[in-house]
Amino acid sequence: MANDNENKSIKMRDVADHVGVSVATVSRALRNPEQVSPAVRARIAAAIDTLGYLPDPAARALASTRSDLIAVILPSVSNNVFADVMDGIYAAAEGTRYSVQLGYSRYSPLSEENLTKLFLRQRPAGIVVTGIDQTDATKTLLGQANCPVVQIMETGPEPYDRMIGFSHYDAARVATAHLIAQGYRAPGFLGARMDPRTQRRLHGFRDELRAQGLEEGRRVHTTTRPSSVTLGSYLLGELLSVAPETDAVFCINDDLALGAMFEAQRRNLRVPESLGICGFNDMEMMGAAEPALTSVRTFRREMGEGAIQMILDALAEKAPASEPVLDLGFEVVARTSTQRGG
Amino acid sequence: MANDNENKSIKMRDVADHVGVSVATVSRALRNPEQVSPAVRARIAAAIDTLGYLPDPAARALASTRSDLIAVILPSVSNNVFADVMDGIYAAAEGTRYSVQLGYSRYSPLSEENLTKLFLRQRPAGIVVTGIDQTDATKTLLGQANCPVVQIMETGPEPYDRMIGFSHYDAARVATAHLIAQGYRAPGFLGARMDPRTQRRLHGFRDELRAQGLEEGRRVHTTTRPSSVTLGSYLLGELLSVAPETDAVFCINDDLALGAMFEAQRRNLRVPESLGICGFNDMEMMGAAEPALTSVRTFRREMGEGAIQMILDALAEKAPASEPVLDLGFEVVARTSTQRGG
DNA sequence: TTGACGAATGTAACCGCTTTCATTACTCAC
DNA sequence: GTGAGTAATGAAAGCGGTTACATTCGTCAA
C-alpha cells in the first residue's frame, strides 16, 4: 500500500543511481564486499534497503554462468521417507543464498536422466541425487558436472563426488539378526515397490538367515506395487496362507509393518508372542502404536541436511571433509512388537 | 562416452549454424512455430535432436522477462497432506514446459511474505499459495502480480485471482453432525498446530454442537505443537482426565486420530462403543486400521492438479472458467470407529 | 619530488536468448 | 506489368546482471 515503488521492479541500475556509483560497484558490493570501501558499501546497503531491491536471478545466472539453485532429485513425492529428507534439505538451505530446485523421478532411471539433463542446464550450484542406480548416461553427466554432486540415502564404493547415507544391506542384516536373537525361527519378508534400495534390504535379510543356518522357505513375499498400510495387511495375509509357520515379519518399511500389525489384530494373532513385527525407517508413529513397533531407525533428516552442508562446504572450498563417503549408520529400535520371551 | 558434444553445452547459435539460419529463426521455431516455414522447422527440429540442444532457462527468462517456473508456497514439508497436494502439482506440471519452484513457509506468514517476494522476482508463469491468511504486504504483492495466482486448500469470498479447495468449517460441522447422529452426546475436539485452517475446523465443531443443543464443556483440547501420532495419544489422555464424560473425539487430522485410537486400546476403551473417533483428511491408513477409522475425505491431489490446471488455462488464455472459486468439497467416510449401535 | 604500486571505482563487453523492425521474395488483383 | 500485401527470414538491440580491464588517486620508498 505505502510503496508504489515495489511495482516497477527495482534494478541494480536504480540502486547505483541512488547512491551515485556505477552498477559494477553495486554488483561487487553484493558479490565481493571486500572489494568495496566500507563507506560506499554501507550506502549501497542502505539504498538496497530503502528501495527494496532484489536481484534478478535470471540475469545473475546468465551473467555469471552459475545459478544459485541446488538441484535435488528424489524418487517420490509422497513417500514419507523423502519428506523427512526434504525437511533437512530445506532447513539447511534456509538462510543461504541458494534455493532448492526439486525434481521427482518416480523411481524411473530414465526420468531421472531427463531431470538431470534439465537441471544441469541451469548450471546449478550443486546437485543432490538419490542412490547409486543411475543410467550410464546419467553417470556420465554427473561424473563431469562442474559442480558438487552428492548422492544420498546410500553408501557405496564409487561416489561421483560425495555421498551420505547408510547401508541398506547391513541394516536389513542387523534387523534380521535381531528377530532371530529374539527367538523367532521362521521370519518372513514383506516388500513393496522393490526398488534397488529395497532389493538390497532383501539381500541382507537372505544373507543373514543363511548365515544363521535358517531356511527362508516360502516366506519372502514381495510386490512391485507401491507401498501402503493396506498393502501391508494384504501381504501378511498372503504370506500366512503360503507359509503358516511364519513367526515374524521384517517389513521393508513402516507402512507395511503397521498394516501387518493391523492384520494380525484382525486375525487375533498376538504380537509379539505369535508374530514378531519389524519395520524400517522408524517413522514417528512406530513408537506410538499399540503394541509399539520395532523398527530400524534411519537418519533421514540428517541425510538431507548433510547433503546440503557438503555442497555448501564444497562451494566455500573448505578442505574436502576427510572422507567423501559419510556413513550415517542406522539403529535397530527394539520395541514391544519383537519382545518375545526368548 | 559416445558424445563429447554434450560437454561444451550446445547453444542456439550452434543449432542455427548447423541448419544455416539465424538464431532468430531457431528461436521462433521454438516459441512460435507457426511463424516458421514447415521445411525449416523440420530441419531445426532435426538439428536440435542430433545436437542435443537444450535451451538455457536463465537466458530465456532474461530475454522474455518471463520464466517457465510455477512458484508454489506450502506451509510444511513433512505434513502428509501437502505431500499429496505436491503429488498432484508435479503430476499436472509434468510434460508441460513449466517446472515447479517450491517454497515452505513453515506456517509463518512473514516467511511466506519473503518467499512471495523472492519468487515474484523470478517473474514466474504462475503462483500457487496456500490458504487465505496472508499478510497485508503479501496480499498486495499477489493482488498486483502479473501472472495467474491460485489459492489452494480453502474456499473464500475474495480470491486474488482463482481459488480451489473446500470449506474447513463446513467439513468440521458435517463431521461433528455425524458423531452426534451416531449417538455420541459428549464429543470432544483434539487439535494440534492450530493454524488458521485448523481454527476454522474448531469453529465448525463448536457451531455444530451449539446448533444441536449440546454443550462443549471442557472437551476442546488443543495445542500449538505440531501434530503427531504420539501427540494424539497424549491429547486424548489429557482430555479424558479433564472431561471423563467424553464419548467421542473429532481430531483435526488423521495422525491425532490414530494416536487417539492407540491410546484408547491402551486404556481398554472400546472403539467405537465407549469412544468414537473421527479423523480428518482420510489418509490411506485410516481404512486399513483396526478398527477402521472414520475420517473426512479431502481431495488433496485434486487440489494440486486443479491449481496447476487453472494456471495452465489462464496462460493459454482459455476463457476463464465460469467460477473463479472452485469448491472440491469433502466427504465424511464413516467407518467402524464411529459405528455405534445408535 | 617523483615514480611505483595497490586500493577503489568506472567502462564496456558479454552471458544466450527474445523480439522489434527491416528486408526480401512472392503472390495476386488490376 | 506494376504496386500492394503477405509470409519468411535476418539484423540488431536489448533483458539485468558480472567481470576483465582501464583509470584514478593516494601512499610511500628512494
Side-chain angles (χ1 to χ4, degrees):
Chain A
M1 333 236 98
N3 35 8
D4 314 50
N5 49 357
E6 303 268 25
N7 277 356
K8 292 278 118 244
S9 63
I10 315 296
K11 33 199 81 154
M12 190 175 278
R13 173 81 267 155
D14 303 318
V15 176
D17 290 350
H18 191 266
V19 176
V21 296
S22 69
V23 292
T25 301
V26 177
S27 177
R28 275 188 291 256
L30 258 35
R31 314 289 283 190
N32 308 79
E34 72 283 0
Q35 293 181 7
V36 175
S37 71
V40 174
R41 210 191 302 164
R43 282 162 54 214
I44 289 177
I48 286 178
D49 213 59
T50 63
L51 295 176
Y53 167 74
L54 282 173
D56 180 327
R60 233 206 237 285
L62 183 56
S64 65
T65 66
R66 175 137 310 303
S67 77
D68 285 347
L69 287 173
I70 295 179
V72 176
I73 302 181
L74 299 175
S76 159
V77 190
S78 40
N79 187 332
N80 292 325
V81 168
F82 298 110
D84 290 336
V85 174
M86 273 176 50
D87 202 28
I89 287 176
Y90 274 92
E94 174 104 24
T96 71
R97 51 186 280 201
Y98 302 100
S99 46
V100 175
Q101 173 73 354
L102 215 49
Y104 292 98
S105 67
R106 286 157 306 138
Y107 293 96
S108 151
L110 223 59
S111 180
E112 184 182 46
E113 182 178 323
N114 289 329
L115 276 172
T116 305
K117 281 184 193 152
L118 195 67
F119 282 169
L120 246 23
R121 201 67 180 85
Q122 327 215 26
R123 308 159 187 287
I127 181 162
V128 176
V129 297
T130 307
I132 58 182
D133 303 280
Q134 281 76 30
T135 66
D136 285 346
T138 309
K139 287 191 165 102
T140 308
L141 287 170
L142 291 176
Q144 56 194 35
N146 65 338
C147 68
V149 178
V150 179
Q151 290 161 273
I152 59 170
M153 300 306 289
E154 303 212 43
T155 52
E158 289 180 345
Y160 306 122
D161 184 3
R162 308 211 47 192
M163 200 179 245
I164 177 169
F166 66 99
S167 163
H168 293 251
Y169 174 88
D170 288 350
R173 279 198 76 149
V174 173
T176 306
H178 165 72
L179 287 177
I180 298 171
Q182 289 295 310
Y184 297 106
R185 283 296 167 266
F189 181 96
L190 260 34
R193 178 75 69 182
M194 299 315 288
D195 58 277
R197 273 171 296 288
T198 315
Q199 302 273 10
R200 283 189 263 281
R201 292 182 212 149
L202 175 53
H203 291 155
F205 172 80
R206 287 195 154 129
D207 285 358
E208 185 61 24
L209 275 200
R210 217 164 291 147
Q212 301 235 11
L214 295 177
E215 296 289 323
E216 84 175 50
R218 324 218 300 131
R219 295 194 304 279
V220 170
H221 225 74
T222 65
T223 168
T224 54
R225 278 189 283 161
S227 173
S228 71
V229 179
T230 304
L231 187 60
S233 296
Y234 173 80
L235 286 177
L236 178 63
E238 293 263 290
L239 174 61
L240 291 177
S241 74
V242 169
E245 79 280 11
T246 304
D247 61 2
V249 281
F250 173 50
C251 307
I252 52 93
N253 69 31
D254 292 337
D255 281 350
L256 291 186
L258 189 61
M261 186 195 83
F262 287 139
E263 185 61 22
Q265 290 183 202
R266 255 172 237 121
R267 295 172 174 240
N268 288 314
L269 260 178
R270 305 210 61 193
V271 175
E273 294 81 358
S274 311
L275 185 75
I277 298 181
C278 177
F280 200 97
N281 280 321
D282 198 31
M283 312 284 316
E284 183 268 333
M285 63 183 163
M286 300 302 271
E290 173 57 28
L293 294 165
T294 295
S295 193
V296 180
R297 181 172 173 212
T298 56
F299 301 89
R300 304 177 295 283
R301 192 175 204 284
E302 288 78 0
M303 282 183 239
E305 283 180 332
I308 299 302
Q309 198 52 59
M310 281 179 167
I311 288 177
L312 296 179
D313 287 353
L315 291 172
E317 289 179 56
K318 285 192 187 161
S322 43
E323 294 296 330
V325 178
L326 186 51
D327 188 341
L328 256 32
F330 55 85
E331 183 187 344
V332 173
V333 182
R335 298 202 182 88
T336 313
S337 71
T338 57
Q339 212 132 10
R340 183 137 93 163
Chain B
M1 342 221 102
N3 35 8
D4 314 51
N5 48 358
E6 303 268 24
N7 277 357
K8 294 276 118 248
S9 64
I10 315 294
K11 32 200 83 155
M12 191 176 279
R13 173 82 264 154
D14 303 317
V15 176
D17 290 350
H18 192 266
V19 176
V21 295
S22 68
V23 292
T25 300
V26 177
S27 176
R28 276 188 291 255
L30 258 35
R31 313 290 284 188
N32 309 79
E34 73 283 359
Q35 292 181 8
V36 176
S37 70
V40 174
R41 209 189 302 163
R43 282 162 54 214
I44 290 176
I48 286 177
D49 214 59
T50 62
L51 294 177
Y53 167 73
L54 282 174
D56 179 328
R60 230 204 238 288
L62 183 57
S64 66
T65 66
R66 174 139 309 305
S67 77
D68 285 347
L69 287 173
I70 296 179
V72 176
I73 302 180
L74 298 175
S76 159
V77 192
S78 42
N79 187 330
N80 292 324
V81 168
F82 298 110
D84 290 336
V85 174
M86 273 177 51
D87 201 28
I89 287 175
Y90 274 92
E94 173 105 23
T96 71
R97 52 188 278 202
Y98 303 99
S99 46
V100 175
Q101 174 73 352
L102 216 49
Y104 292 98
S105 67
R106 286 157 306 139
Y107 294 97
S108 151
L110 223 59
S111 180
E112 183 181 46
E113 182 178 323
N114 288 330
L115 276 172
T116 305
K117 280 183 193 152
L118 195 67
F119 282 170
L120 246 23
R121 200 66 181 84
Q122 328 216 23
R123 309 159 187 285
I127 182 163
V128 176
V129 297
T130 307
I132 58 182
D133 303 281
Q134 282 74 32
T135 66
D136 284 345
T138 310
K139 286 191 165 101
T140 307
L141 287 170
L142 291 176
Q144 56 194 34
N146 65 338
C147 68
V149 177
V150 179
Q151 290 160 273
I152 59 171
M153 300 304 289
E154 301 212 45
T155 51
E158 288 179 348
Y160 306 122
D161 183 2
R162 307 210 49 192
M163 200 180 245
I164 178 169
F166 67 99
S167 162
H168 293 250
Y169 174 88
D170 289 351
R173 280 200 73 151
V174 173
T176 307
H178 165 73
L179 287 177
I180 299 172
Q182 289 295 310
Y184 297 106
R185 285 295 167 269
F189 181 96
L190 260 36
R193 178 74 69 181
M194 299 314 287
D195 59 278
R197 274 173 295 290
T198 314
Q199 302 273 10
R200 283 188 263 282
R201 291 182 212 148
L202 176 52
H203 291 155
F205 172 80
R206 288 195 152 129
D207 285 359
E208 185 61 24
L209 276 199
R210 216 163 290 147
Q212 300 234 12
L214 296 178
E215 297 289 326
E216 83 175 51
R218 322 220 300 134
R219 296 194 304 280
V220 169
H221 225 73
T222 65
T223 169
T224 53
R225 277 188 285 160
S227 173
S228 72
V229 179
T230 305
L231 187 60
S233 296
Y234 174 78
L235 286 177
L236 178 62
E238 293 264 291
L239 174 60
L240 290 177
S241 74
V242 169
E245 79 281 10
T246 305
D247 61 2
V249 279
F250 173 49
C251 308
I252 53 92
N253 68 31
D254 291 338
D255 280 350
L256 292 187
L258 189 61
M261 186 194 83
F262 287 138
E263 184 62 21
Q265 290 183 202
R266 254 170 239 124
R267 294 170 176 242
N268 288 314
L269 260 178
R270 305 211 60 193
V271 176
E273 295 80 357
S274 310
L275 185 75
I277 299 179
C278 178
F280 200 97
N281 280 320
D282 198 31
M283 312 285 315
E284 183 266 333
M285 64 183 163
M286 299 302 270
E290 173 58 28
L293 294 165
T294 294
S295 193
V296 180
R297 182 173 172 210
T298 56
F299 301 90
R300 304 177 293 283
R301 192 176 204 283
E302 288 79 0
M303 280 182 239
E305 283 180 332
I308 299 301
Q309 199 52 58
M310 281 178 166
I311 288 176
L312 295 179
D313 287 353
L315 291 172
E317 290 181 54
K318 285 192 187 161
S322 42
E323 295 295 331
V325 178
L326 187 51
D327 188 341
L328 256 31
F330 55 86
E331 183 188 344
V332 173
V333 182
R335 298 202 182 88
T336 313
S337 71
T338 57
Q339 213 132 9
R340 182 137 94 164

